[in-house]
């Protein structure tokens, strides 16, 4: 690769089941120059998120799907190397929808500046980026935990779940994480301060929930859906709140999504289940980011990034999310 070549992954077809390398077209094209209002960004790190699987599907959602033949959508951080936009200067570092490619060329819609001197660039894709905003607002606004509440989090060793659990601890809750594998569960308790962790790979989840949540679950932060959602629904406390943040167990289904069989628990316990989309809270991102940065400076909030090198590994690295192989926020280092 030379400085004049832009490697890109384009969406070639809408996958049925898991996305594979054949889902994408790889191409190399010349790097262009910015027209009026545009910037040229050299991408340094890309955020790999479960939502990317949903963006490949046709149909109504909270955001338009990626078009066939378009560069695969991805959030990222990079450095402005040429600019025809008065809001961004050469040398600025920016966060935005950069796409799975070496260089972004276009109008910087929704981009904002970040400072690599204040935090490592990958952190702006985890705790100080959309991941952190998702954990913060989904838990605090939708889940509305109170001190003393029992909070259960699935996908707890993942990017969003690990931060949401720590925020719940900061707010004085009893926090139980559900994760896959001994190492992840040990990390939740020993490193992040969770009160308990349930290993869904080696334990019976309903039995473990009875043990760890004897008074029931006040807030359930759901990242996985499926059988684990059903198990937690059976343990809800009166007036519980269930936050539907994600359902990674269902995204690659070839059949219909498996809905909750135990939903009548919502009726019996006068509980509510509510969906969450982070962009609904965009107006308050700056204030939330300041509070999160303060918690990190005080040592109350830790961020773990799982960084994989090489743009060329994108299709296989993305699948780590759905195989439970990532440990923390999955980030792709471009070069």
């Amino acid at each position: 690769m030379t400085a004049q070549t832009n490697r890109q992954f384009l969406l070639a077809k809408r996958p049925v089941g898991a996305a594979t390398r054949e889902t994408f077209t790889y191409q190399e094209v010349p790097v262009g120059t910015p027209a009026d209002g545009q910037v040229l960004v050299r991408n340094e790190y890309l955020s790999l998120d479960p939502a990317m699987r949903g963006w490949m599907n046709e149909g109504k959602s909270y955001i338009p799907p990626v078009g066939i033949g378009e560069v695969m959508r991805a959030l990222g951080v990079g450095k402005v190397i040429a600019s025809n936009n008065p809001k961004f200067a050469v040398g600025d570092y920016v966060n935005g929808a950069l796409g799975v490619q070496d260089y972004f060329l276009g109008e910087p819609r929704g981009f904002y500046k970040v400072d690599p001197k204040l935090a490592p660039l990958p952190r702006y894709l985890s705790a100080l980026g959309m991941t952190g905003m998702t954990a913060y607002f989904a838990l605090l606004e939708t889940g509305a935990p109170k001190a003393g509440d029992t909070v259960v989090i699935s996908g707890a060793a993942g990017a969003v779940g690990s931060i949401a659990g720590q925020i719940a601890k900061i707010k004085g809750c009893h926090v139980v994480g559900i994760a896959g594998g001994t190492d992840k569960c040990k990390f939740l308790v020993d490193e992040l301060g969770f009160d308990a962790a349930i290993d869904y790979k080696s334990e019976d989840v309903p039995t473990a929930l009875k043990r760890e949540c004897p008074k029931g679950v006040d807030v359930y932060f759901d990242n996985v859906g499926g059988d684990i959602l059903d198990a937690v629904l059976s343990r809800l406390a009166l007036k519980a709140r269930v936050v539907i943040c994600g359902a990674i167990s269902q995204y690659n289904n070839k059949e219909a999504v498996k809905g909750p069989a135990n939903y009548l628990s919502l009726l019996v316990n006068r509980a509510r289940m509510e969906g969450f989309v982070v962009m609904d809270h965009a107006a308050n991102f700056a204030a939330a980011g300041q509070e999160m940065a303060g918690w990190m400076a005080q040592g109350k909030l830790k961020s773990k990034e799982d960084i994989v090198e090489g743009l060329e590994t994108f299709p296989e690295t993305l699948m780590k999310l759905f195989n439970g192989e990532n440990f923390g926020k999955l980030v792709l280092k471009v070069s």
Side-chain angles (χ1 to χ4, degrees):
M1 190 194 111
T2 70
Q4 302 304 310
T5 302
N6 188 16
R7 300 173 298 167
Q8 299 178 317
F9 281 93
L10 285 60
L11 186 64
K13 60 184 179 182
R14 304 210 179 277
V16 177
T20 65
R21 184 165 283 270
E22 286 65 45
T23 304
F24 307 97
T25 299
Y26 172 82
Q27 68 177 22
E28 297 182 4
V29 297
V31 176
T33 55
D36 284 348
Q38 294 186 337
V39 294
L40 178 64
V41 178
R42 185 178 66 233
N43 300 344
E44 298 204 10
Y45 295 92
L46 299 176
S47 176
L48 299 190
D49 301 292
M52 295 171 77
R53 179 60 187 82
W55 299 341
M56 300 177 203
N57 295 337
E58 195 84 73
K60 183 177 182 293
S61 186
Y62 62 90
I63 189 172
V66 178
I68 301 298
E70 291 181 356
V71 174
M72 182 60 206
R73 182 185 297 142
L75 300 176
V77 287
K79 186 176 184 179
V80 176
I81 59 172
S83 177
N84 243 330
N85 187 303
K87 294 181 179 177
F88 298 95
V90 171
D92 284 345
Y93 284 86
V94 295
N95 186 319
L98 301 177
V100 184
Q101 54 188 345
D102 287 301
Y103 297 90
F104 167 88
L105 176 64
E107 294 182 22
R109 293 193 186 99
F111 285 26
Y112 60 92
K113 297 175 189 178
V114 298
D115 189 347
K117 294 174 185 170
L118 296 180
L121 285 175
R123 189 121 327 142
Y124 290 106
L125 299 176
S126 57
L128 297 180
M130 210 62 74
T131 296
M133 296 300 103
T134 299
Y136 183 97
F137 288 105
L139 180 73
L140 298 182
E141 296 290 330
T142 307
K146 303 181 295 293
D149 278 354
T150 293
V151 176
V152 173
I153 297 176
S154 60
V160 171
S162 61
I163 295 173
Q166 292 178 83
I167 296 174
K169 283 301 299 178
I170 290 169
K171 296 298 181 180
C173 299
H174 178 80
V175 181
V176 179
I178 303 175
T182 303
D183 290 345
K184 289 182 178 180
C185 289
K186 185 174 170 54
F187 171 75
L188 292 177
V189 175
D190 295 349
E191 295 292 324
L192 301 188
F194 282 51
D195 294 288
I198 296 169
D199 182 357
Y200 73 84
K201 291 186 175 180
S202 66
E203 294 185 82
D204 178 70
V205 174
T207 301
L209 284 167
K210 288 181 183 178
R211 180 186 73 230
E212 302 298 347
C213 312
K215 296 180 181 178
V217 177
D218 298 296
V219 179
Y220 175 46
F221 192 113
D222 188 28
N223 289 305
V224 303
D227 293 337
I228 290 178
L229 170 58
D230 257 340
V232 182
L233 286 176
S234 70
R235 293 296 302 164
L236 294 185
L238 198 65
K239 295 288 186 180
R241 287 82 69 200
V242 178
V243 183
I244 303 299
C245 187
I248 198 167
S249 73
Q250 304 298 301
Y251 292 161
N252 289 326
N253 279 8
K254 294 182 180 179
E255 299 83 30
V257 167
K258 179 182 182 293
N262 288 336
Y263 81 97
L264 285 178
S265 178
L266 297 169
L267 184 157
V268 172
N269 294 294
R270 283 77 103 196
R272 65 174 168 85
M273 181 187 289
E274 185 174 342
F276 173 84
V277 174
V278 68
M279 291 311 298
D280 293 346
H281 301 269
N284 299 314
F285 282 177
Q290 285 187 330
E291 186 166 27
M292 300 265 284
W295 289 335
M296 294 183 81
Q298 297 165 29
K300 295 180 178 179
L301 182 66
K302 298 178 182 178
S303 180
K304 179 177 176 62
E305 292 85 37
D306 185 343
I307 300 174
V308 177
E309 294 205 24
L311 183 75
E312 67 279 0
T313 72
F314 163 68
E316 291 76 23
T317 302
L318 180 65
M319 284 310 300
K320 288 183 67 172
L321 290 169
F322 304 97
N323 297 331
E325 295 174 28
N326 63 302
F327 199 161
K329 174 73 189 88
L330 188 60
V331 176
L332 187 64
K333 186 176 182 182
V334 174
S335 59

